[in-house]
Amino acid sequence: MNFYQQIVKQKLKTITPEQLVAYSQDYDLPITVSQAKKILHLARTNDINIFDPKERKKWVRELAKITSPEIAKKANELFLKFVQKKVKKGVSPFFIARQQQFFQAADHRMSAPAA
């Protein structure tokens, strides 16, 4: 398992449905809390490797069943961008720092009191 697979797997273990909804909105992939719960259940009960094209296709099909074909298509495009960047560049300290900032900002948004 490569470094990025470990990051993705660890985040899936700890993310809440509400956090996943917030992330999805950041990437213009709107989902409901109910859909987020189903997605997380699927991801946590199956060992899905988005870096493997066959496994990613299977994941996208399941995602389409939970959400919609349009959301699944957008998610696949996002996965492809992520995978292509990692294959071309390898592990970048800048990328790691940006990912940590992204997760911290999203976690902060989720814990902030409603206005």
Side-chain angles (χ1 to χ4, degrees):
M1 182 179 302
N2 73 34
F3 177 75
Y4 294 106
Q5 287 172 297
Q6 291 174 355
I7 289 175
V8 170
K9 196 169 196 160
Q10 181 59 35
K11 193 60 183 174
L12 284 173
K13 287 181 182 178
T14 60
I15 192 172
T16 67
E18 293 79 13
Q19 287 171 319
L20 183 57
V21 169
Y23 293 148
S24 73
Q25 291 170 351
D26 288 345
Y27 287 98
D28 195 29
L29 299 167
I31 60 171
T32 66
V33 173
S34 175
Q35 290 170 326
K37 288 178 183 179
K38 291 176 186 176
I39 292 166
L40 290 174
H41 176 74
L42 178 68
R44 290 173 178 161
T45 57
N46 296 283
D47 192 21
I48 301 166
N49 176 4
I50 65 164
F51 296 88
D52 179 285
K54 289 180 183 177
E55 288 187 39
R56 190 174 54 252
K57 284 182 184 179
K58 182 180 175 184
W59 168 247
V60 170
R61 280 194 298 272
E62 293 300 318
L63 187 57
K65 291 177 190 175
I66 295 170
T67 59
S68 71
E70 294 80 24
I71 298 254
K73 182 180 176 184
K74 283 184 180 180
N76 188 48
E77 290 169 1
L78 187 61
F79 290 151
L80 288 172
K81 286 179 186 176
F82 178 73
V83 169
Q84 289 168 354
K85 282 183 182 179
K86 300 314 134 243
V87 170
K88 288 180 182 176
K89 294 183 180 179
V91 177
S92 162
F94 175 75
F95 169 76
I96 294 168
R98 292 288 294 156
Q99 287 297 98
Q100 289 172 338
Q101 289 171 353
F102 173 78
F103 289 132
Q104 288 170 352
D107 290 342
H108 177 71
R109 283 194 311 269
M110 294 307 300
S111 62

